[in-house]
Amino acid sequence: MNASLMQIYNAIEKSPSVMLFRHRRIDGDCVGATKGLKGIIQATWPDKKVYIIDNEKSEYLSFMGKDDEEVDDEVYKKSLGIVIDVGNAERISNQKYALCSPIIKIDHHINKEKYGDIQWVEEDRSSACEMIAHLYSVFKDKLKITSEAATHIYTGMLTDSGRFQYEGVTGDTMRLAGLMLDQGIDTETLNARLYMRDFDQLKFKAFIYENMRLTPGGVAYIHVTKEIQARFGLSFESASASISSLSDIKDVLCWLAFIDADDGEIRVRLRSRFAHINGIAEKYHGGGHACASGATVYSPEEMKQLIDDADKHISAYKSTHDGWM
């Protein structure tokens, strides 16, 4: 057993109040991991106070329920803080996490910033939710779980692994997913909530296929401007989901979605197969996983440079590796 797991269990067990934190620009993994762990704690210790306080909203994930209302700073100061799925402290959505003591970091990103008093980081895990499922499996003779908590955890495992397609999915991933399924998850309803699309969203998908571009080296990309977002009635979140439409093109090993944000920045979603692209993301104010990262550019010129860098990187990978298709 990882020594950090026992420390985490002991810290939760002895803390009357626990506060859970996640990253900005929420996704299925960070929401599923925090809500799943909250459900486990509440089922195991009904008298504990457990809070998730986050002002960020997601229409896509609204079926997972609302978070808690803000509380006084004194509550933070008396609580154990657990930060899940956040590689660096600057990205924690609720910066009041720093008032908590002690602070635990649970994460599956490259460990570039070692914040917190207790750290459990496994970079090879496919999701933070997989780590929460593992925590439950290690202590399942002591911990309790509900079907709702298991559904939250399974949701994050599903979304962060691309339905169990991405690098990092292992036999252990599938065994832990099975453990969650054993708790009575309604997979038909869950998959409908996650993957069914409105008609306008399907029209936008058709637009992507008509307007995406390919580089000579094998990089697909789309720029979803504010005008395009308005034309199709897209939220920033829906526009960002365009990245998934570029993932199944033969000979394309990297795909990029550039999304205009309200603050004038252009957010970038970078995905790849085989070739690692997190180094490119880090060059452009971002980072993440080896084959799934995020970045930010601030002008069309910087966007073009990122595309060029990605094209050169993929061209070099293809020239030095076999078996990529």
Side-chain angles (χ1 to χ4, degrees), residues 204 207-214 220-232 234 236 239-240 242-243 246 255-261 264-269 297-304 307:
F204 172 56
F207 174 87
I208 293 170
Y209 291 136
E210 288 287 339
N211 292 274
M212 67 182 183
R213 296 290 181 265
L214 298 175
Y221 64 93
I222 186 78
H223 181 196
V224 187
T225 64
K226 295 300 291 184
E227 290 75 18
I228 294 169
Q229 293 173 44
R231 173 180 168 184
F232 290 97
L234 302 172
F236 178 82
S240 298
S242 60
I243 189 67
L246 305 176
W255 49 104
L256 315 169
F258 297 89
I259 316 297
D260 285 0
E265 299 176 346
I266 304 172
R267 304 278 168 72
V268 192
R269 301 290 182 267
V297 295
Y298 297 90
S299 67
E301 293 75 22
E302 196 173 15
M303 181 172 64
K304 181 180 183 303
I307 294 168

Side-chain angles (χ1 to χ4, degrees), residues 1-119:
M1 181 198 301
N2 186 314
S4 298
L5 292 180
M6 184 56 74
Q7 289 180 289
I8 291 168
Y9 177 86
N10 289 338
I12 295 172
E13 183 180 40
K14 73 179 184 181
S15 299
S17 177
V18 180
M19 306 199 80
L20 304 172
F21 302 90
R22 54 202 183 204
H23 58 70
R24 294 173 180 165
R25 299 197 287 275
I26 55 176
D27 61 16
D29 190 27
C30 73
V31 174
T34 48
K35 288 185 177 293
L37 182 56
K38 178 179 179 177
I40 290 171
I41 294 171
Q42 289 182 321
T44 306
W45 298 283
D47 293 335
K48 286 189 190 297
K49 299 292 185 182
V50 189
Y51 303 93
I52 301 172
I53 298 171
D54 188 343
N55 291 324
E56 292 201 19
K57 302 292 187 294
S58 166
E59 181 181 347
Y60 172 59
L61 300 171
S62 60
F63 69 90
M64 298 177 79
K66 295 181 179 180
D67 295 327
D68 299 300
E69 297 295 326
E70 184 59 271
V71 295
D72 293 337
D73 287 359
E74 289 304 311
V75 178
Y76 286 87
K77 293 175 183 177
K78 295 176 181 178
S79 298
L80 166 69
I82 305 178
V83 183
I84 308 176
D85 197 32
V86 191
N88 56 303
E90 183 183 10
R91 289 197 67 220
I92 300 171
S93 62
N94 183 350
Q95 286 290 306
K96 288 187 178 183
Y97 82 94
L99 297 174
C100 297
S101 181
I103 295 170
I104 296 171
K105 175 184 181 181
I106 300 175
D107 190 38
H108 69 127
H109 296 90
I110 296 170
N111 195 20
K112 289 196 167 184
E113 183 178 338
K114 298 181 179 181
Y115 64 84
D117 304 290
I118 301 170
Q119 295 190 21

Side-chain angles (χ1 to χ4, degrees), residues 116-221:
D117 304 290
I118 301 170
Q119 295 190 21
W120 175 30
V121 178
E122 293 193 26
E123 298 172 9
D124 294 331
R125 292 282 184 180
S126 67
S127 64
C129 278
E130 180 181 333
M131 297 177 71
I132 301 303
H134 178 67
L135 177 69
Y136 169 73
S137 73
V138 170
F139 296 104
K140 63 181 179 181
D141 58 330
K142 300 179 180 180
L143 295 175
K144 297 179 181 179
I145 192 169
T146 63
S147 60
E148 182 181 37
T151 299
H152 292 322
I153 294 167
Y154 184 79
T155 297
M157 296 181 72
L158 198 64
T159 57
D160 229 40
S161 66
R163 303 194 213 186
F164 305 111
Q165 296 181 79
Y166 298 156
E167 184 182 54
V169 173
T170 65
D172 200 32
T173 306
M174 304 310 291
R175 283 184 286 273
L176 291 168
L179 180 62
M180 296 300 101
L181 288 170
D182 288 343
Q183 311 309 314
I185 296 173
D186 180 353
T187 54
E188 185 174 14
T189 299
L190 176 61
N191 281 292
R193 285 169 167 167
L194 288 174
Y195 300 116
M196 292 188 73
R197 295 290 178 262
D198 294 334
F199 184 59
D200 284 344
Q201 290 176 311
L202 293 177
K203 289 195 291 185
F204 172 56
K205 192 170 187 177
F207 174 87
I208 293 170
Y209 291 136
E210 288 287 339
N211 292 274
M212 67 182 183
R213 296 290 181 265
L214 298 175
T215 70
V219 176
Y221 64 93

